[in-house]
Amino acid sequence: MLGQTIPALPVADVPAAVGHYRDAFGFEALHAEGDFAVIRRDGAELHLWGATDDGWRTRDGFAERPVRSGGESFLAGTASCRIAVEDVDALYAELAGTGVVHPTSRDGVTVTDFGTREFATLDRDGNLIAFFRWVS
């Protein structure tokens, strides 16, 4: 039996990202230490991990593969996730004034051809978080 899925998003600065998710999205930190944090809002949980390895910048040529640790700094902001919500319109109204709404969603919640009402946001690193509600 499968359990809950928890997205893990790469960020450049974990403490700054925790503050951003608290102030802009309303998440609370359950755990934040070093390069890892667990944040939650209502039933949604996210894990934030530090993409802080800058060693790839100094590796010579192709003798050493540039991607080695899986935590390279260029990974920050390259992820996305989708979070189901009960009232997508109310959440949009809440987040619209925080500066996180993606430019494609500036006109409001949209209806998709695959059966959702949704809008997209970006965190401080550029990770895409879409909030949606299935249309019944």
Side-chain angles (χ1 to χ4, degrees), residues 97-116:
T98 67
V100 297
V101 174
H102 190 284
T104 62
S105 293
R106 292 271 158 79
D107 291 333
V109 175
T110 58
V111 178
T112 68
D113 58 357
F114 50 87
T116 64

PDB file of all heavy atoms in Angstrom, residues 97-116:
ATOM      1  N   GLY A  97      -1.725  38.842  -3.528  1.00  0.00           N
ATOM      2  CA  GLY A  97      -1.031  40.029  -3.055  1.00  0.00           C
ATOM      3  C   GLY A  97       0.348  39.782  -2.484  1.00  0.00           C
ATOM      4  O   GLY A  97       0.996  40.716  -2.002  1.00  0.00           O
ATOM      5  N   THR A  98       0.832  38.555  -2.546  1.00  0.00           N
ATOM      6  CA  THR A  98       2.129  38.239  -1.927  1.00  0.00           C
ATOM      7  C   THR A  98       3.284  38.217  -2.924  1.00  0.00           C
ATOM      8  O   THR A  98       4.428  38.003  -2.522  1.00  0.00           O
ATOM      9  CB  THR A  98       2.079  36.878  -1.205  1.00  0.00           C
ATOM     10  OG1 THR A  98       1.911  35.840  -2.161  1.00  0.00           O
ATOM     11  CG2 THR A  98       0.967  36.834  -0.167  1.00  0.00           C
ATOM     12  N   GLY A  99       2.996  38.407  -4.206  1.00  0.00           N
ATOM     13  CA  GLY A  99       4.058  38.426  -5.206  1.00  0.00           C
ATOM     14  C   GLY A  99       4.512  37.071  -5.698  1.00  0.00           C
ATOM     15  O   GLY A  99       5.526  36.971  -6.381  1.00  0.00           O
ATOM     16  N   VAL A 100       3.774  36.018  -5.386  1.00  0.00           N
ATOM     17  CA  VAL A 100       4.205  34.675  -5.787  1.00  0.00           C
ATOM     18  C   VAL A 100       3.450  34.126  -6.998  1.00  0.00           C
ATOM     19  O   VAL A 100       3.845  33.098  -7.544  1.00  0.00           O
ATOM     20  CB  VAL A 100       4.100  33.664  -4.617  1.00  0.00           C
ATOM     21  CG1 VAL A 100       5.016  34.056  -3.476  1.00  0.00           C
ATOM     22  CG2 VAL A 100       2.665  33.508  -4.152  1.00  0.00           C
ATOM     23  N   VAL A 101       2.386  34.786  -7.419  1.00  0.00           N
ATOM     24  CA  VAL A 101       1.593  34.266  -8.539  1.00  0.00           C
ATOM     25  C   VAL A 101       2.415  34.328  -9.824  1.00  0.00           C
ATOM     26  O   VAL A 101       3.007  35.350 -10.153  1.00  0.00           O
ATOM     27  CB  VAL A 101       0.265  35.038  -8.683  1.00  0.00           C
ATOM     28  CG1 VAL A 101      -0.483  34.599  -9.935  1.00  0.00           C
ATOM     29  CG2 VAL A 101      -0.603  34.830  -7.451  1.00  0.00           C
ATOM     30  N   HIS A 102       2.461  33.205 -10.528  1.00  0.00           N
ATOM     31  CA  HIS A 102       3.188  33.088 -11.794  1.00  0.00           C
ATOM     32  C   HIS A 102       2.550  34.015 -12.828  1.00  0.00           C
ATOM     33  O   HIS A 102       1.330  34.175 -12.841  1.00  0.00           O
ATOM     34  CB  HIS A 102       3.117  31.630 -12.273  1.00  0.00           C
ATOM     35  CG  HIS A 102       4.014  31.326 -13.416  1.00  0.00           C
ATOM     36  ND1 HIS A 102       3.732  31.721 -14.700  1.00  0.00           N
ATOM     37  CD2 HIS A 102       5.188  30.658 -13.474  1.00  0.00           C
ATOM     38  CE1 HIS A 102       4.687  31.308 -15.506  1.00  0.00           C
ATOM     39  NE2 HIS A 102       5.589  30.654 -14.776  1.00  0.00           N
ATOM     40  N   PRO A 103       3.347  34.621 -13.702  1.00  0.00           N
ATOM     41  CA  PRO A 103       2.780  35.510 -14.729  1.00  0.00           C
ATOM     42  C   PRO A 103       1.651  34.882 -15.548  1.00  0.00           C
ATOM     43  O   PRO A 103       0.723  35.584 -15.951  1.00  0.00           O
ATOM     44  CB  PRO A 103       3.985  35.844 -15.612  1.00  0.00           C
ATOM     45  CG  PRO A 103       5.160  35.724 -14.697  1.00  0.00           C
ATOM     46  CD  PRO A 103       4.811  34.602 -13.745  1.00  0.00           C
ATOM     47  N   THR A 104       1.692  33.579 -15.775  1.00  0.00           N
ATOM     48  CA  THR A 104       0.629  32.939 -16.555  1.00  0.00           C
ATOM     49  C   THR A 104      -0.687  32.870 -15.799  1.00  0.00           C
ATOM     50  O   THR A 104      -1.726  32.586 -16.404  1.00  0.00           O
ATOM     51  CB  THR A 104       1.022  31.508 -16.982  1.00  0.00           C
ATOM     52  OG1 THR A 104       1.227  30.719 -15.797  1.00  0.00           O
ATOM     53  CG2 THR A 104       2.272  31.504 -17.832  1.00  0.00           C
ATOM     54  N   SER A 105      -0.659  33.127 -14.494  1.00  0.00           N
ATOM     55  CA  SER A 105      -1.868  33.055 -13.682  1.00  0.00           C
ATOM     56  C   SER A 105      -2.305  34.423 -13.155  1.00  0.00           C
ATOM     57  O   SER A 105      -3.201  34.503 -12.324  1.00  0.00           O
ATOM     58  CB  SER A 105      -1.645  32.110 -12.494  1.00  0.00           C
ATOM     59  OG  SER A 105      -1.490  30.783 -12.930  1.00  0.00           O
ATOM     60  N   ARG A 106      -1.707  35.472 -13.642  1.00  0.00           N
ATOM     61  CA  ARG A 106      -2.038  36.808 -13.126  1.00  0.00           C
ATOM     62  C   ARG A 106      -3.497  37.191 -13.353  1.00  0.00           C
ATOM     63  O   ARG A 106      -4.039  38.024 -12.650  1.00  0.00           O
ATOM     64  CB  ARG A 106      -1.123  37.857 -13.745  1.00  0.00           C
ATOM     65  CG  ARG A 106       0.312  37.727 -13.307  1.00  0.00           C
ATOM     66  CD  ARG A 106       0.596  38.525 -12.044  1.00  0.00           C
ATOM     67  NE  ARG A 106       1.752  38.063 -11.318  1.00  0.00           N
ATOM     68  CZ  ARG A 106       3.004  38.321 -11.620  1.00  0.00           C
ATOM     69  NH1 ARG A 106       3.283  39.035 -12.689  1.00  0.00           N
ATOM     70  NH2 ARG A 106       3.975  37.872 -10.875  1.00  0.00           N
ATOM     71  N   ASP A 107      -4.152  36.588 -14.337  1.00  0.00           N
ATOM     72  CA  ASP A 107      -5.558  36.906 -14.608  1.00  0.00           C
ATOM     73  C   ASP A 107      -6.517  36.065 -13.771  1.00  0.00           C
ATOM     74  O   ASP A 107      -7.724  36.182 -13.926  1.00  0.00           O
ATOM     75  CB  ASP A 107      -5.875  36.734 -16.102  1.00  0.00           C
ATOM     76  CG  ASP A 107      -5.178  37.786 -16.943  1.00  0.00           C
ATOM     77  OD1 ASP A 107      -4.910  38.886 -16.430  1.00  0.00           O
ATOM     78  OD2 ASP A 107      -4.897  37.501 -18.123  1.00  0.00           O
ATOM     79  N   GLY A 108      -5.998  35.201 -12.933  1.00  0.00           N
ATOM     80  CA  GLY A 108      -6.843  34.424 -12.038  1.00  0.00           C
ATOM     81  C   GLY A 108      -6.784  32.933 -12.286  1.00  0.00           C
ATOM     82  O   GLY A 108      -5.979  32.428 -13.064  1.00  0.00           O
ATOM     83  N   VAL A 109      -7.660  32.242 -11.612  1.00  0.00           N
ATOM     84  CA  VAL A 109      -7.777  30.789 -11.701  1.00  0.00           C
ATOM     85  C   VAL A 109      -8.280  30.424 -13.097  1.00  0.00           C
ATOM     86  O   VAL A 109      -9.180  31.086 -13.624  1.00  0.00           O
ATOM     87  CB  VAL A 109      -8.732  30.263 -10.619  1.00  0.00           C
ATOM     88  CG1 VAL A 109      -8.959  28.773 -10.755  1.00  0.00           C
ATOM     89  CG2 VAL A 109      -8.200  30.609  -9.225  1.00  0.00           C
ATOM     90  N   THR A 110      -7.688  29.401 -13.682  1.00  0.00           N
ATOM     91  CA  THR A 110      -8.100  28.965 -15.016  1.00  0.00           C
ATOM     92  C   THR A 110      -8.640  27.544 -14.974  1.00  0.00           C
ATOM     93  O   THR A 110      -8.332  26.773 -14.068  1.00  0.00           O
ATOM     94  CB  THR A 110      -6.926  29.017 -16.016  1.00  0.00           C
ATOM     95  OG1 THR A 110      -5.867  28.187 -15.535  1.00  0.00           O
ATOM     96  CG2 THR A 110      -6.415  30.440 -16.197  1.00  0.00           C
ATOM     97  N   VAL A 111      -9.437  27.215 -15.980  1.00  0.00           N
ATOM     98  CA  VAL A 111      -9.977  25.869 -16.142  1.00  0.00           C
ATOM     99  C   VAL A 111      -9.130  25.159 -17.186  1.00  0.00           C
ATOM    100  O   VAL A 111      -8.876  25.701 -18.258  1.00  0.00           O
ATOM    101  CB  VAL A 111     -11.454  25.913 -16.590  1.00  0.00           C
ATOM    102  CG1 VAL A 111     -11.992  24.508 -16.815  1.00  0.00           C
ATOM    103  CG2 VAL A 111     -12.295  26.658 -15.557  1.00  0.00           C
ATOM    104  N   THR A 112      -8.684  23.944 -16.870  1.00  0.00           N
ATOM    105  CA  THR A 112      -7.864  23.183 -17.815  1.00  0.00           C
ATOM    106  C   THR A 112      -8.728  22.224 -18.620  1.00  0.00           C
ATOM    107  O   THR A 112      -9.862  21.920 -18.241  1.00  0.00           O
ATOM    108  CB  THR A 112      -6.789  22.360 -17.074  1.00  0.00           C
ATOM    109  OG1 THR A 112      -7.440  21.326 -16.328  1.00  0.00           O
ATOM    110  CG2 THR A 112      -5.956  23.237 -16.154  1.00  0.00           C
ATOM    111  N   ASP A 113      -8.171  21.718 -19.703  1.00  0.00           N
ATOM    112  CA  ASP A 113      -8.891  20.742 -20.516  1.00  0.00           C
ATOM    113  C   ASP A 113      -8.805  19.334 -19.922  1.00  0.00           C
ATOM    114  O   ASP A 113      -9.397  18.403 -20.440  1.00  0.00           O
ATOM    115  CB  ASP A 113      -8.397  20.749 -21.960  1.00  0.00           C
ATOM    116  CG  ASP A 113      -6.914  20.461 -22.087  1.00  0.00           C
ATOM    117  OD1 ASP A 113      -6.235  20.302 -21.049  1.00  0.00           O
ATOM    118  OD2 ASP A 113      -6.426  20.395 -23.219  1.00  0.00           O
ATOM    119  N   PHE A 114      -8.076  19.171 -18.812  1.00  0.00           N
ATOM    120  CA  PHE A 114      -8.002  17.859 -18.163  1.00  0.00           C
ATOM    121  C   PHE A 114      -8.766  17.830 -16.843  1.00  0.00           C
ATOM    122  O   PHE A 114      -8.588  16.927 -16.028  1.00  0.00           O
ATOM    123  CB  PHE A 114      -6.552  17.390 -17.973  1.00  0.00           C
ATOM    124  CG  PHE A 114      -5.626  18.389 -17.341  1.00  0.00           C
ATOM    125  CD1 PHE A 114      -5.500  18.481 -15.971  1.00  0.00           C
ATOM    126  CD2 PHE A 114      -4.886  19.249 -18.137  1.00  0.00           C
ATOM    127  CE1 PHE A 114      -4.648  19.398 -15.394  1.00  0.00           C
ATOM    128  CE2 PHE A 114      -4.024  20.172 -17.572  1.00  0.00           C
ATOM    129  CZ  PHE A 114      -3.904  20.246 -16.198  1.00  0.00           C
ATOM    130  N   GLY A 115      -9.623  18.837 -16.613  1.00  0.00           N
ATOM    131  CA  GLY A 115     -10.569  18.743 -15.518  1.00  0.00           C
ATOM    132  C   GLY A 115     -10.219  19.408 -14.206  1.00  0.00           C
ATOM    133  O   GLY A 115     -10.718  18.982 -13.161  1.00  0.00           O
ATOM    134  N   THR A 116      -9.371  20.428 -14.236  1.00  0.00           N
ATOM    135  CA  THR A 116      -9.057  21.134 -12.997  1.00  0.00           C
ATOM    136  C   THR A 116      -9.303  22.632 -13.143  1.00  0.00           C
ATOM    137  O   THR A 116      -9.344  23.167 -14.246  1.00  0.00           O
ATOM    138  CB  THR A 116      -7.583  20.946 -12.585  1.00  0.00           C
ATOM    139  OG1 THR A 116      -6.732  21.538 -13.575  1.00  0.00           O
ATOM    140  CG2 THR A 116      -7.238  19.485 -12.399  1.00  0.00           C
TER     141      THR A 116
END
